[in-house]
């Protein structure tokens, strides 16, 4: 059953007098319990697509049904409720609030769903436990490593038990090994039943999913199933078994990825 | 978003930027402080006037030469003993009366000397001005009529001249003549209405000073005070004195030569002056509060720009536009309330200091405090709405794209 149904979605940005067509009649079905990766070069419209599916932005034209409900015509307040209850976001730059602790960051969506402080804390602790970060709950984001920050962000996405998790280049700001850990976490969540939509421009990251669509110039150019998804957890185990020389070799397999600097929030 | 969450957020934001918060609230702080101080001091002042008027019963009246009617250097007509005699007969309900003559002499006793104000007064004087005698007695009718050389002294001059000795019955020298001390008063309080005496004043019978000033037996008066039993009799007296003096001495260029003043109208005049001062301070405070509010608005606009990404994050996890508006308005209100509360504190401290110096009763009413905090909340609301609305207008994607 399709949890997401997009029909003829257009997105047009106006920049002065010039109109930029970021999405051009995109139609897409995403079924429940899918692990979809959206690939494409920068400027292909993949982030725009994800922002629209994630209800962060509105399409210029076309219809969008989320869980059988038409959300393209919803008012701002209702869209906020959809983002709050049905959608979890993970961003490339983590987007944690720097002032407050990891736990408080995870609690953030719950504030807007009206849970009591006690209930929020309990739920946040469960979510942090799922990303194996219970021991860092009291730390502020700047006291955590990049991978830990992304785990906090994932816990925040999970905390309200959303029907879909969206991840926009979640490994883009992490080194390849940490990235692999994050992918292992996503795969674990997927096995536990989560529906995941991930934007990436790296094929070896995308290969961890079950399905890949390619976007070019705002249109879908290819939609393929991954026959045998890469197993991130197994890759990490293999890495751990290798000696140093082999480790470097193994790392290089993953390191067509540039080692990006962790951005400081 | 619940109010409590908003409050918690605001406090955490302010904690992260204390200096900015303090500078921002100064305007509100000053304005509210002024308002509190002036209202408390005004209240205390009215209370003290009220209690003094209560003490004098507001039935005090005095008649004096109206200097405004005369040209410079023009000789003035004064009241004489016959006028006073007439008043004493013609005015119903008169309880006591007297006049004031003031001179400065050197007072000496056994080698100690001190410049002192010498006040010539009638027998009713101490009762009229509520000066209590601590030791000895006040003047009686014979002291005045027989022009006895006696005096009543204030405690400071007593201490200065007599040290530890008992001054009663001792003789002090004033202007080449000897006076026997018959009484010592209590310390003079800092009263609104006074006879002009201080704690170094020496009182002698007015007949003596009058005779000294006018050089003979025929004493003249430039001011004379009356105290009556009821306000009706004060009104009768005012009318009779005016018509008597006008008939006897006539008008000067269509202006009366004498002015009759009542304590109750005097109080009304003081009240009007106080009202003007209150209005002025209130205007200054209002301007300060509004300027403070603009400062709050300015800093809130800066905060919205700085925290665009935070707004985006909050929207992405489900905050509605209303949530964002509420959060920023609460933040503005909390800033104003902190300014207001500290303003209440500083204003109250200032008022307490003034009241204690002037020996007025310090009263801080709940209504004043609640009013000040209410105004602060209102200012926060008014000047917080625009920045909050601006914050909520962003689309989540745009807000997240921000580099801030």
């Amino acid at each position: 059953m399709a949890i997401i149904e997009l029909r003829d979605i257009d997105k047009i940005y106006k920049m002065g007098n010039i109109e930029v067509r970021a999405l051009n009649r995109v139609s897409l079905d995403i079924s429940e319990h899918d692990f979809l990766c959206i690939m494409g070069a920068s400027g292909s419209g993949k982030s725009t697509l994800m922002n629209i599916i994630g209800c962060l932005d509105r399409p210029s034209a076309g219809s969008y049904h989320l869980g059988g409900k038409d959300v393209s015509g919803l008012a701002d307040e209702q869209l906020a409720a959809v983002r709050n209850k049905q959608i979890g976001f993970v961003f490339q730059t983590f987007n944690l609030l720097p002032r407050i602790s990891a736990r408080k960051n995870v609690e953030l969506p719950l504030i807007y769903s009206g849970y009591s402080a006690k209930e929020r804390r309990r739920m946040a602790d469960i979510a942090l436990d799922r990303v194996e970060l219970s021991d860092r709950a009291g730390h502020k984001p700047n006291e955590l490593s990049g991978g830990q920050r992304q785990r906090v962000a994932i816990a925040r996405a999970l905390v309200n038990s959303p029907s879909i998790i969206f991840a926009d280049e979640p490994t883009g700001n992490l080194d390849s090994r940490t990235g692999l850990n994050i992918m292992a976490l996503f795969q674990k969540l997927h096995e536990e039943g989560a529906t995941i939509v991930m934007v990436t421009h790296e094929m070896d990251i995308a290969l961890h999913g079950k399905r890949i669509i390619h976007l070019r110039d705002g249109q879908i150019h290819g939609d393929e199933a991954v026959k045998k998804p890469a197993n991130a957890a197994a890759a990490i185990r293999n890495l751990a078994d290798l000696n140093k020389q082999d480790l470097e070799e193994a790392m290089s397999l993953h390191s067509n990825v540039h080692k990006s600097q962790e951005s400081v929030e | 978003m619940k109010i409590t969450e908003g409050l918690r957020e605001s406090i955490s934001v302010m904690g992260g930027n204390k200096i900015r918060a303090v500078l921002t609230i100064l305007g509100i702080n000053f304005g509210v402080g002024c308002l509190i101080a002036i209202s408390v001091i005004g209240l205390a002042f009215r209370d003290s006037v009220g209690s003094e008027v209560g003490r004098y019963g507001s039935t005090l009246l005095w008649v004096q030469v109206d200097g405004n009617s005369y040209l410079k250097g023009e000789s003035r007509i004064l009241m004489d003993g016959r006028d006073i005699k007439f008043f004493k007969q013609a005015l119903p309900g008169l309880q006591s009366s007297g006049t004031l003559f003031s001179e400065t002499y050197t007072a000496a006793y056994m080698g100690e000397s001190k410049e002192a104000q010498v006040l010539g007064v009638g027998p009713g004087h101490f009762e009229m001005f509520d000066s209590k005698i601590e030791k000895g007695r006040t003047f009686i009718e014979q002291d005045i009529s027989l022009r006895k050389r006696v005096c009543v002294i204030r405690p400071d001059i007593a201490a200065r001249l007599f040290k530890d000795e008992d001054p009663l019955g001792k003789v002090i020298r004033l202007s080449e003549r000897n006076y026997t001390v018959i009484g010592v008063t209590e310390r003079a309080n800092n009263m609104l209405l006074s006879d002009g005496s201080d704690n170094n004043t020496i009182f002698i019978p007015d007949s003596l000073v009058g005779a000294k000033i006018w050089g003979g037996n025929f004493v003249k008066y430039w001011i004379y005070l009356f105290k009556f039993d009821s306000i009706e009799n004060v009104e009768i007296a005012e009318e009779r004195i005016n018509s008597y003096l006008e008939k006897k001495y006539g008008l000067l260029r269509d202006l009366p030569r004498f002015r009759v003043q009542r304590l109750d109208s005097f109080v009304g005049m003081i009240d009007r002056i106080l009202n003007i001062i209150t209005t002025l301070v209130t205007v200054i405070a209002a301007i300060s509060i509004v300027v403070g509010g603009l400062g709050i608005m300015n800093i809130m606009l800066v905060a919205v720009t700085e925290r665009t990404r935070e707004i985006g994050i909050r929207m992405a996890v489900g905050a509605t536009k209303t949530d964002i508006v509420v959060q920023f308005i609460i933040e503005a209100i909390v800033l104003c309330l902190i300014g207001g509360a500290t303003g209440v504190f500083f204003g109250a401290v200032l008022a307490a200091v003034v009241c204690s110096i002037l020996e007025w009763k310090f009263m801080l009413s709940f209504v004043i405090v609640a009013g000040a905090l209410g105004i602060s909340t209102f200012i926060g609301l008014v000047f917080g709405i625009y920045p909050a609305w601006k914050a909520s207008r962003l689309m989540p994607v745009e807000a997240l794209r921000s580099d801030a």
Side-chain angles (χ1 to χ4, degrees):
Chain A
M1 192 204 120
I3 187 167
I4 287 172
E5 290 176 24
L6 299 175
R7 292 290 173 271
D8 300 328
I9 295 287
D10 281 353
K11 181 68 190 181
I12 296 159
Y13 291 111
K14 289 195 180 73
M15 293 175 173
N17 294 329
I18 309 158
E19 285 194 351
V20 180
R21 186 174 284 266
L23 291 177
N24 189 0
R25 298 180 70 79
V26 172
S27 294
L28 178 66
D29 283 0
I30 302 172
S31 56
E32 212 168 318
H33 193 49
D34 204 345
F35 192 155
L36 172 72
C37 292
I38 302 172
M39 290 198 68
S42 67
S44 62
K46 57 186 193 303
S47 286
T48 305
L49 178 60
M50 203 187 70
N51 288 337
I52 287 173
I53 314 178
C55 295
L56 287 174
D57 207 352
R58 293 168 190 280
S60 307
S63 80
Y64 171 20
H65 286 77
L66 176 66
K69 198 170 142 200
D70 186 2
V71 293
S72 39
L74 289 184
D76 288 341
E77 307 274 299
Q78 292 163 307
L79 272 185
V82 170
R83 287 196 296 270
N84 184 234
K85 303 221 164 53
Q86 300 190 43
I87 292 170
F89 270 103
V90 178
F91 302 93
Q92 177 176 2
T93 52
F94 321 132
N95 278 343
L96 301 174
L97 295 186
R99 259 193 335 267
I100 55 179
S101 70
R103 185 188 283 116
K104 291 281 176 199
N105 265 291
V106 176
E107 284 181 17
L108 204 57
L110 304 174
I111 289 178
Y112 300 108
S113 13
Y115 287 99
S116 71
K118 201 177 150 195
E119 193 71 359
R120 288 205 303 266
R121 192 187 162 103
R122 193 184 63 82
M123 290 166 79
D125 282 344
I126 293 173
L128 280 167
D129 195 44
R130 282 180 77 183
V131 300
E132 292 159 10
L133 216 61
S134 304
D135 53 331
R136 312 289 284 173
H139 292 257
K140 287 188 179 174
N142 62 8
E143 297 160 346
L144 301 173
S145 72
Q148 286 170 330
R149 287 183 212 181
Q150 195 59 298
R151 281 167 190 275
V152 174
I154 292 169
R156 182 179 65 190
L158 288 173
V159 74
N160 226 351
S161 311
S163 29
I164 313 166
I165 294 169
F166 290 91
D168 189 355
E169 305 262 13
T171 60
N173 275 23
L174 301 173
D175 65 73
S176 53
R177 187 172 182 143
T178 313
L180 205 53
N181 272 309
I182 293 297
M183 289 316 296
L185 180 55
F186 275 117
Q187 284 189 321
K188 188 185 101 177
L189 296 173
H190 178 240
E191 273 161 35
E192 289 166 9
T195 308
I196 296 168
V197 177
M198 183 179 290
V199 164
T200 180
H201 64 272
E202 295 164 45
M203 184 52 96
D204 53 349
I205 292 292
L207 282 172
H208 289 92
K210 275 166 61 182
R211 179 185 171 201
I212 300 174
I213 62 168
H214 295 270
L215 226 58
R216 196 195 304 148
D217 300 330
Q219 285 182 309
I220 294 178
H221 278 262
D223 183 347
E224 49 196 339
V226 181
K227 279 179 189 143
K228 192 174 180 299
N231 187 330
I236 293 163
R237 276 197 299 277
N238 289 340
L239 284 178
D241 287 345
L242 295 170
N243 62 37
K244 190 167 179 288
Q245 194 192 343
D246 295 337
L247 184 75
E248 274 163 5
E249 203 177 302
M251 288 290 278
S252 71
L253 287 175
H254 292 273
S255 63
N256 47 358
V257 189
H258 45 258
K259 213 176 163 189
S260 41
Q261 292 289 335
E262 286 174 15
S263 79
V264 178
E265 252 180 288
Chain B
M1 176 145 100
K2 287 191 196 126
I3 306 256
T4 48
E5 291 307 322
L7 287 178
R8 214 170 289 167
E9 258 311 302
S10 314
I11 287 159
S12 118
V13 169
M14 265 163 253
N17 217 332
K18 290 191 194 73
I19 293 174
R20 186 202 275 190
V22 167
L23 291 176
T24 308
I25 64 176
L26 276 182
I28 299 281
N29 186 291
F30 179 75
V32 171
C34 280
L35 272 186
I36 289 285
I38 194 67
S39 55
V40 171
I41 292 171
L43 215 64
F45 177 73
R46 285 202 168 88
D47 175 72
S48 86
V49 169
S51 69
E52 286 206 27
V53 169
R55 261 167 10 92
Y56 298 120
S58 75
T59 54
L60 201 65
L61 173 147
W62 63 96
V63 53
Q64 68 183 87
V65 173
D66 194 341
N68 295 334
S69 306
Y70 289 89
L71 297 176
K72 202 175 174 189
E74 199 172 358
S75 71
R76 297 170 186 200
I77 291 176
L78 306 178
M79 291 171 283
D80 59 29
R82 277 171 302 184
D83 298 330
I84 303 304
K85 207 168 171 187
F86 169 79
F87 292 146
K88 282 181 177 171
Q89 284 161 4
L91 303 178
L94 181 64
Q95 286 182 323
S96 56
S97 63
T99 189
L100 297 170
F101 291 104
S102 176
E103 282 282 307
T104 303
Y105 294 120
T106 304
Y109 172 76
M110 305 272 287
E112 291 289 339
S113 70
K114 173 101 177 83
E115 283 277 299
Q117 180 200 26
V118 176
L119 213 57
V121 298
H125 179 85
F126 296 100
E127 188 207 334
M128 244 187 306
F129 287 94
D130 201 39
S131 299
K132 298 218 167 47
I133 297 294
E134 196 171 84
K135 265 188 241 170
R137 61 172 178 87
T138 63
F139 302 121
I140 52 173
E141 206 57 58
Q142 287 100 308
D143 294 331
I144 312 289
S145 57
L146 299 175
R147 296 190 187 171
K148 283 193 180 164
R149 298 203 173 272
V150 290
C151 66
V152 172
I153 60 177
R154 288 286 197 190
D156 280 1
I157 189 98
R160 174 69 193 258
L161 293 178
F162 296 103
K163 304 280 183 297
D164 298 331
E165 284 182 65
D166 182 4
L168 291 186
K170 301 277 167 19
V171 174
I172 56 175
R173 199 159 175 78
L174 276 177
S175 174
E176 317 289 300
R177 286 178 197 279
N178 292 328
Y179 292 80
T180 309
V181 178
I182 56 168
V184 180
T185 69
E186 284 187 341
R187 289 194 65 79
N189 287 325
N190 196 356
M191 294 295 177
L192 167 71
L193 281 159
S194 88
D195 51 9
S197 67
D198 56 23
N199 280 316
N200 275 314
T201 298
I202 297 171
F203 299 94
I204 63 173
D206 57 359
S207 49
L208 286 172
V209 192
K212 171 95 184 148
I213 291 174
W214 308 113
N217 301 340
F218 200 63
V219 178
K220 293 196 169 201
Y221 306 95
W222 65 274
I223 183 166
Y224 211 84
L225 303 101
F226 304 92
K227 190 176 180 179
F228 295 91
D229 57 354
S230 71
I231 201 86
E232 289 79 32
N233 282 329
V234 170
E235 274 158 20
I236 292 168
E238 184 181 14
E239 208 188 304
R240 287 199 186 161
I241 293 171
N242 269 326
S243 69
Y244 168 83
L245 289 172
E246 194 180 319
K247 209 153 66 183
K248 185 169 174 194
Y249 296 104
L251 293 175
L252 181 70
R253 286 180 290 275
D254 288 336
L255 291 172
R257 292 170 186 269
F258 297 93
R259 188 167 63 209
V260 178
Q261 282 191 306
R262 290 159 54 176
L263 183 55
D264 52 344
S265 60
F266 190 65
V267 167
M269 191 183 76
I270 290 172
D271 215 50
R272 278 195 296 280
I273 293 170
L274 183 69
N275 278 339
I276 292 168
I277 295 171
T278 306
T279 309
L280 276 175
V281 176
T282 307
V283 166
I284 293 168
I287 291 170
S288 170
I289 288 176
V290 168
V291 171
L294 289 172
I296 298 247
M297 178 145 123
N298 187 30
I299 216 70
M300 289 311 295
L301 285 171
V302 172
V304 168
T305 310
E306 277 177 349
R307 282 152 65 193
T308 304
R309 182 178 276 261
E310 175 188 326
I311 295 165
I313 294 170
R314 286 176 183 277
M315 284 180 156
V317 301
T320 62
K321 284 177 189 294
T322 315
D323 290 327
I324 302 295
V325 166
V326 168
Q327 183 188 339
F328 279 93
I329 285 184
I330 286 180
E331 224 172 285
I333 289 179
V334 166
L335 270 175
C336 284
L337 269 179
I338 292 177
T342 48
V344 167
F345 176 74
F346 291 127
V349 167
L350 179 65
V353 168
V354 170
C355 286
S356 82
I357 289 172
L358 298 175
E359 293 176 1
W360 290 345
K361 194 171 152 204
F362 174 78
M363 290 169 293
L364 185 59
S365 77
F366 174 74
V367 177
I368 290 177
V369 174
L373 297 182
I375 289 171
S376 308
T377 309
F378 179 71
I379 289 290
L381 190 66
V382 167
F383 291 98
I385 281 177
Y386 174 67
W389 172 79
K390 212 179 158 207
S392 74
R393 221 179 33 152
L394 296 158
M395 269 307 275
V397 249
E398 293 159 16
L400 280 170
R401 221 178 275 140
S402 146
D403 292 331

